[in-house]
Amino acid sequence: MNHREIAKKIIEESGGIENISSVTHCSTRLRIFIKDKSKVNQEQIQAIKPVLGVVFPEDELQIVLGQNMIPIYESVSKTFESQSKNSDARTNEAQEASQSSHTTKSTDGGKKSIGKFLYKVLAFVSAAVTPMIPGLVAGGMLKVFLLLATLVFPAFESSSTYSMLNMLADVPFYFMPIFVAYGASKKLGGTPLYSMTVAAALVYPTFMTAVTEGTSLSLLNIPVTLVKYNSTLLPALLISIFAYYCEKFLVKVIPGIIRPVFVGMLTITAAYILGITVLGPLGDIVGSYVVHIFLWSSVNIGPFAVGILAACMPWLVMTGMHHAVTPFMVQAITNPGYDGLFKPAYLLHNMAEGGACLGVALRTKDKALKAECYSLAVGCILAGVTEPALYGVNLRLKKPMYGVMAGSALGGIVAGLMGATAYVYGYSTILAIPIFQQTIMAIVTAIIVSIVSACIITMIIGFDEELLR
């Protein structure tokens, strides 16, 4: 079965083109936003040969494809685009689907638990930030290599080449509100350019200069709180939600003949006024509190905070919720300027996944499985891609998951005890250890503990190879 046929089968089992609002992806997952969940045949999708796993939180169908993701995504995306009538029709369908889902939520919302509500919030945040993850990874790894270059050639840091490349590496983080606005709008079914325009205004040079210099500003006689919105998440999310409902309202009340002229203008104006005066400052305050709560836990719970988060990571990855905390990681590195919790936990979980695969490889007598596990271990440790190992081996064999959790926890505790702290955003691989700067030995020690303990524990408790057949 070629990629085009796989894409056709995925679309068919997802309920057809008419049941899809939009298509996106992350490093290893095809993410399809669904209108009617009942039309999706998860079992048939799981049975497609390249598919490693299927996760379906709310209306986002996540299909784990590992190294096959990009060509299959391209085929699905092209098919989706070619068979949809036009972009306007797709937008209207997405809005109707989103409106329908909101109506459903309102009828039975009183019966749902707080946990379910929080899960939906995390699912929305995860879906909103997923499109920008590749950009954050690209910028973060460029920073890692620039840091390595300055260690080898100290004079390079004062060159214009370094300055230009460093600016490029900063872009995905500095303009994060714009990328968040795009993802949130796509998730909601609104017009991305409206919320992106307002988010861009939050980091417009004139406004940023006024913030830096403390210049007093007001809008319609409403005082404007001077906040640096670069590298923030929640302001853009709140603005995108308001822009979506504002646009939907204006489309209903403005006559069709003048709708193209006034809907966009009024949407961005209303979203900007409310965003810069209320939603932006509110989102910044809440986002700062969230980051500081996590940092408080790492200070007051001590090394166990990193261990607990690292041990939970495989289950966050399985549900697709691991991306929901990525923006807070970026925000922590921006303010207060370091991350002693998120990045160590992310990194050590990846190492433990690789360690468990090594344990399987060393214990099994099956040559094909041995070779596969060695390859997956390299992917986890050097590339930071864990889904193929998680879904392909560790989860299917079940018992290696104990090794993953134990290795993650033990490595996290060591990292916490030794004070491993990231000062630059980078991908969660062994190649990114320079971002820990003066605490590099702490994270190296923790990495060794994670890999070795996950490997040994997996070898000791064993596994049933028949589960892979």
Side-chain angles (χ1 to χ4, degrees), residues 73 84 139 177 222 231 323:
Y73 163 75
S84 298
I222 303 172
S231 302
H323 288 322

Side-chain angles (χ1 to χ4, degrees), residues 123-283:
F124 172 68
V125 174
S126 179
V129 305
T130 293
M132 74 174 180
I133 297 299
L136 294 179
V137 170
M141 291 311 295
L142 178 55
K143 278 188 168 292
V144 170
F145 283 104
L146 287 174
L147 180 58
L148 288 172
T150 59
L151 293 175
V152 178
F153 306 104
F156 178 60
E157 190 171 3
S158 60
S159 68
S160 61
T161 299
Y162 173 86
S163 298
M164 297 294 289
L165 291 176
N166 193 51
M167 282 191 286
L168 174 63
D170 281 335
V171 166
F173 307 98
Y174 188 89
F175 294 105
M176 194 169 78
I178 302 174
F179 305 135
V180 170
Y182 169 80
S185 295
K186 292 287 287 184
K187 172 68 173 72
L188 292 167
T191 303
L193 261 295
Y194 295 158
S195 56
M196 291 172 69
T197 298
V198 179
L202 299 179
V203 293
Y204 192 76
T206 303
F207 178 73
M208 294 300 289
T209 300
V211 173
T212 302
E213 296 177 352
T215 305
S216 189
L217 297 174
S218 65
L219 180 62
L220 300 177
N221 291 323
I222 303 172
V224 173
T225 305
L226 301 179
V227 176
K228 288 187 177 181
Y229 291 107
N230 55 297
S231 302
T232 58
L233 164 73
L234 291 179
L237 280 181
L238 295 176
I239 286 171
S240 299
I241 293 170
F242 176 79
Y244 164 71
Y245 284 106
C246 182
E247 177 189 2
K248 192 165 69 168
F249 171 76
L250 292 171
V251 167
K252 287 182 178 180
V253 300
I254 295 178
I257 192 169
I258 60 173
R259 190 178 296 159
V261 178
F262 289 100
V263 169
M265 179 192 71
L266 294 176
T267 297
I268 66 170
T269 301
Y272 180 66
I273 292 173
L274 189 64
I276 201 73
T277 58
V278 179
L279 299 179
L282 175 62

Side-chain angles (χ1 to χ4, degrees), residues 1-3 5-7 9-10 13 42-54 63-68 72 372 391-392 396:
M1 187 180 292
N2 60 36
H3 294 141
E5 291 174 343
I6 294 169
K9 183 68 172 175
I10 288 175
E13 299 301 340
Q42 295 186 60
E43 292 183 0
Q44 289 298 319
I45 295 174
Q46 178 70 67
I48 300 174
K49 191 174 181 180
V51 174
L52 298 173
V54 176
I63 304 173
V64 184
L65 296 167
Q67 62 182 3
N68 297 300
I72 294 176
E372 179 186 6
Y391 287 98
R396 289 174 67 189

Side-chain angles (χ1 to χ4, degrees), residues 54-97:
V54 176
V55 183
F56 204 175
E58 298 306 315
D59 60 347
E60 183 185 8
L61 177 63
Q62 302 176 18
I63 304 173
V64 184
L65 296 167
Q67 62 182 3
N68 297 300
M69 192 281 299
I70 290 295
I72 294 176
Y73 163 75
E74 290 176 348
S75 296
V76 170
S77 182
K78 287 178 182 177
T79 304
F80 174 67
E81 292 292 332
S82 64
Q83 293 188 22
S84 298
K85 291 181 180 180
N86 52 58
S87 59
D88 290 335
R90 290 197 304 275
T91 299
N92 290 336
E93 289 174 356
Q95 289 174 339
E96 290 171 5

